[in-house]
Amino acid sequence: MDFRHFKYFVAVAEERSFTRAAERLHISQPPLSRQIQQLEDELGMQLLERDARPLQLTMAGQFFYERAVRLIEQVNETITMTRRVAQKDRRLVIGFVPSTMYGALPRIARMFRAAKPQTELVLVEKISVEQNEALNAGQIDVGFGRLRLDDPRVKREVLREEPLVLAIPAEHPLASSTVPLSLVEAAPYPLLVYPRSPRPSYADQVLSIFRDKGVEPAEVHEVQEMQTALGLVASGMGLCVVPASAQRLRREEVVYRALLEPSAVSPIVMSTRLHDQSEDIVLLRSLIDEVYRAQAAEKLLAQSQAAASPPEPES
């Protein structure tokens, strides 16, 4: 038995067809069938029910498939990590959810490129669940997401809890408010959430905050991305709860209001493979701290300048 047997069996198990698996592996079908038969002979048990259409896994086959997938992921991760340790693969791939692009991520990326021009930095849009899978498959090296996903193979760090705000159509009754709003005030109106799939996602996080408050939105409409949701807000189709950094997407037809609930926050979660302490990962983490410190100083300066400004004379 060698590593090839595992890859061949996983392909057959997922395709449920020797023909499609052979096409996926770019080999002809007879050698593939022989390899699977050799695997079953060595194990001394049947893994596939060949008479079923499509092919079905036996109970032993299902068990072997789950372990084989895990083994392939571990091998791919080992290869990626070995290249990184040897500094043969000068490439850092970052997965991100779209909302993080309106926060500190672009600034961090620019600083990383300036500090390590010899390392190719690649940014790939992936929602939190996809990031977790991509990390284990060696497709990305870092993920910036919104969900606290539990995986013993992944190191997860909450960088900060970002306040959420309510995006409101400019002509909406709530738009005239000058004070923070409660979710109770938003509940009677249609709510736009994203993404539609896959779940769990940021959409479930928002709906959970409403339920923790003991209220349910009157209507919930699911869309695939934040840009679409804000476009529908602008057209008067409903309200949307978005991270505060999304306010940089200035639209004349949308106003943003802070929320009263302390629980109305969304984490920014950095995920890496559990034991990845490569030079690039360490540098990226230090740049994150540097950017956050700079942002805090800028905020304090703006607040002090606002406090020092003389009040406008009454008309």
Side-chain angles (χ1 to χ4, degrees), residues 79-215:
I79 293 170
T80 300
M81 293 289 292
T82 302
R83 287 174 175 165
R84 186 168 300 286
V85 169
Q87 296 189 342
K88 296 295 184 184
D89 188 2
R90 305 304 298 165
R91 192 166 184 257
L92 185 70
V93 184
I94 296 177
F96 66 93
V97 295
S99 62
T100 57
M101 288 302 289
Y102 305 110
L105 182 55
R107 188 172 177 180
I108 293 166
R110 290 194 301 271
M111 293 171 66
F112 183 91
R113 285 193 171 104
K116 294 292 289 292
Q118 70 274 25
T119 298
E120 179 187 6
L121 184 65
V122 180
L123 298 175
V124 182
E125 182 179 329
K126 287 184 180 293
I127 64 170
S128 300
V129 174
E130 293 171 339
Q131 289 178 24
N132 204 71
E133 296 169 354
L135 277 168
N136 288 321
Q139 297 169 351
I140 66 172
D141 303 298
V142 185
F144 291 102
R146 293 280 181 185
L147 298 182
R148 294 175 169 90
L149 298 173
D150 287 323
D151 188 328
R153 298 165 295 178
V154 173
K155 177 184 177 182
R156 183 188 72 205
E157 181 181 1
V158 176
L159 299 175
R160 60 168 47 180
E161 297 279 3
E162 183 175 2
L164 300 178
V165 297
L166 191 65
I168 310 169
E171 303 301 322
H172 195 277
L174 294 179
S176 59
S177 173
T178 57
V179 296
L181 297 169
S182 170
L183 293 174
V184 174
E185 296 175 87
Y189 303 100
L191 180 71
L192 297 154
V193 298
Y194 64 89
R196 180 185 295 113
S197 62
R199 308 292 273 270
S201 69
Y202 174 76
D204 301 291
Q205 193 177 92
V206 169
L207 294 173
S208 178
I209 295 172
F210 273 89
R211 293 179 186 126
D212 289 346
K213 188 67 177 177
V215 295

